[in-house]
Amino acid sequence: MGDPGPLGRFGEHGGRYVPESLVGACREVEEAFREAWADPAFRGQLAGLLATHVGRPTPLTPALRLSAELGSTLLLKREDLAHTGSHKINNVLGQALLAKRMGKTRLVAETGAGQHGVATATAAALFGLGATVFMGERDIERQALNVFRMRMLGAEVVPVRTGSRTLKDATSEAMRHWVGVVDEAMYCMGSVLGPSPYPWMVREFQRVIGDEARRQCATELRAAVPDYVVACVGGGSNAAGTFAGFVDTPARLIGVEAAGGAGAADGTSGVLHGTRSMFLQDENGQVTEAHSIAAGLDYPGIGPEHVHLRDLGRARYVTVSDAEVIEAVMRLARTEGIVAALESAHAVAWVLRGELPAGSTVLITLSGRGDKDISTLRELV
Ligand SMILES: Cc1ncc(COP(=O)(O)O)c(C=O)c1O
């Protein structure tokens, strides 16, 4: 999982499919990121913020009771304990710091579950930047708590009423908006999606999850590396960041998608939001709607690097149903005292299927906490 080069390609996927008006802006972001990422001062500043503002390193928690029930050793990488409640803040602080360095005054972002929006609003407040966050009307209803948090932090939340009224349409609107404000605004992408350099840059900002977990596993496990590394996949940023720490080990990498939003399992190759990747499409190439109980996984595609990892046979992508996810949230809550986000519970749900050989060691990235999902769960359990 290295540098995809100036074309931003991961095998046949990735690239930069944007209108002429955004080509220069994407190039500017790429040049700024290349320069910043090679600058120890930038890296040091980001690492400092991740320590003092986010609370990194996040712990690695042995899930003792669940491990005993399953006959395996489960370790939870606790991104739910990061400031703002999910892994999204790792990437956003990186992009916001870059925006500052580039002399930008605003951040433009899309959000599904609202976690990326909250992280963006938080970073904007911290750096004195403006923030405009696009969010589908349906997600605004089911993630009301996060909408309130974003507004409290001073962000403008723009409701998107087109199409599925979820993440796909919010992303389209946000990118359209960026075209008009490129001079002053940086697009702050929430996952390993979008035109080059975003899939690569977001993975690099999220690799802190995998790098920390690798060090932490080395002290927890006799074999130093787990047999399985499991993470949920919406666009795939927490999974990409986690996998980056283990891609050079024998660990089996497993990405868990929502059954109703499975770009890797059910998608075909196409172009959306500036990148070539796998998307749910009808026979005419029209991108179809995803359906997931987890707003953050309600996206009809997957990041291009994941397609490449799958094609290489290095990672495997599986799906779980909404019902399995609800069961997983409850079981984790009652065995470990942790209420996970519905997104993160996808990774737990796959492990709970009990298909892993007895005695396996498993790292699960818990990408976020479940506070935002309480009203959804209250109606279901
Ligand atoms: C807690 C949580 N986990 C996972 C995701 C999915 O994003 P990604 O696949 O980029 O990690 C989201 C998206 O909103 C989220 O809020």
Side-chain angles (χ1 to χ4, degrees):
M1 297 177 82
D3 179 341
L7 298 178
R9 296 244 170 234
F10 302 95
E12 290 169 15
H13 292 91
R16 183 181 290 154
Y17 298 85
V18 289
E20 200 55 39
S21 47
L22 285 183
V23 171
C26 289
R27 273 208 199 111
E28 189 192 359
V29 174
E30 180 178 347
E31 275 166 28
F33 174 64
R34 279 188 188 285
E35 196 209 355
W37 213 222
D39 177 359
F42 179 87
R43 288 207 182 213
Q45 206 180 348
L46 181 57
L49 279 168
L50 290 173
T52 58
H53 203 76
V54 175
R56 304 208 72 89
T58 57
L60 187 71
T61 303
L64 297 176
R65 294 187 59 216
L66 202 50
S67 295
E69 285 180 15
L70 295 178
S72 298
T73 299
L74 309 188
L75 299 169
L76 307 175
K77 180 60 176 159
R78 301 291 305 279
E79 295 303 296
D80 58 313
L81 293 179
H83 179 49
T84 71
S86 83
H87 67 295
K88 297 285 182 187
I89 191 76
N90 306 326
N91 161 49
V92 166
L93 281 182
Q95 290 192 51
L97 207 55
L98 192 64
K100 265 300 230 202
R101 189 176 165 109
M102 292 166 73
K104 304 290 180 187
T105 55
R106 301 194 63 76
L107 300 175
V108 176
E110 79 296 334
T111 197
Q115 288 301 120
H116 176 60
V118 168
T120 302
T122 299
L126 187 65
F127 295 132
L129 298 167
T132 308
V133 181
F134 289 79
M135 188 170 190
E137 218 172 31
R138 183 153 180 262
D139 292 336
I140 285 183
E141 283 159 23
R142 58 179 165 168
Q143 303 289 340
L145 178 69
N146 277 343
V147 176
F148 183 73
R149 289 169 78 197
M150 282 184 263
R151 289 187 170 139
M152 253 187 89
L153 290 157
E156 179 193 9
V157 181
V158 183
V160 175
R161 301 192 170 90
T162 48
S164 59
R165 300 179 299 128
T166 58
L167 184 55
K168 169 171 80 68
D169 301 286
T171 310
S172 304
E173 283 300 320
M175 293 188 79
R176 215 166 287 143
H177 176 79
W178 189 34
V179 174
V181 293
V182 275
D183 289 341
E184 78 251 29
M186 157 104 176
Y187 194 99
C188 183
M189 180 67 73
S191 193
V192 283
L193 292 164
S196 174
Y198 284 95
W200 166 52
M201 178 169 71
V202 175
R203 179 250 285 162
E204 285 301 288
F205 286 142
Q206 289 293 5
R207 74 180 308 137
V208 66
I209 306 173
D211 290 345
E212 280 177 14
R214 174 92 177 257
R215 285 195 295 275
Q216 292 166 321
C217 283
T219 61
E220 281 293 327
L221 297 173
R222 207 174 318 130
V225 168
D227 299 321
Y228 294 87
V229 172
V230 187
C232 72
V233 175
S237 68
N238 84 91
T242 307
F243 292 176
F246 294 90
V247 73
D248 62 341
T249 74
R252 292 181 181 83
L253 309 178
I254 313 284
V256 187
E257 296 187 281
D266 302 328
T268 47
S269 188
V271 172
L272 182 69
H273 299 144
T275 192
R276 173 168 287 284
S277 195
M278 303 292 281
F279 299 102
L280 303 180
Q281 296 171 84
D282 67 15
E283 60 284 4
N284 299 317
Q286 291 295 320
V287 174
T288 57
E289 289 181 15
H291 296 283
S292 168
I293 190 176
L297 305 193
D298 215 343
Y299 184 79
I302 186 169
E305 191 168 26
H306 286 293
V307 180
H308 189 48
L309 288 172
R310 185 201 63 175
D311 291 349
L312 292 173
R314 182 61 194 92
R316 195 179 137 209
Y317 295 85
V318 296
T319 62
V320 294
S321 69
D322 286 354
E324 288 178 282
V325 168
I326 296 166
E327 208 179 303
V329 169
M330 295 310 294
R331 186 140 168 218
L332 189 70
R334 290 182 182 179
T335 52
E336 301 300 331
I338 297 170
V339 177
L342 287 169
E343 290 80 8
S344 323
H346 282 68
V348 179
W350 182 75
V351 173
L352 290 184
R353 277 193 185 158
E355 290 171 7
L356 301 182
S360 299
T361 53
V362 187
L363 170 73
I364 302 175
T365 295
L366 270 197
S367 55
R369 69 176 85 121
D371 309 32
K372 67 185 181 58
D373 299 316
I374 296 300
S375 61
T376 303
L377 284 166
R378 242 172 34 194
E379 286 169 19
L380 293 169
V381 295

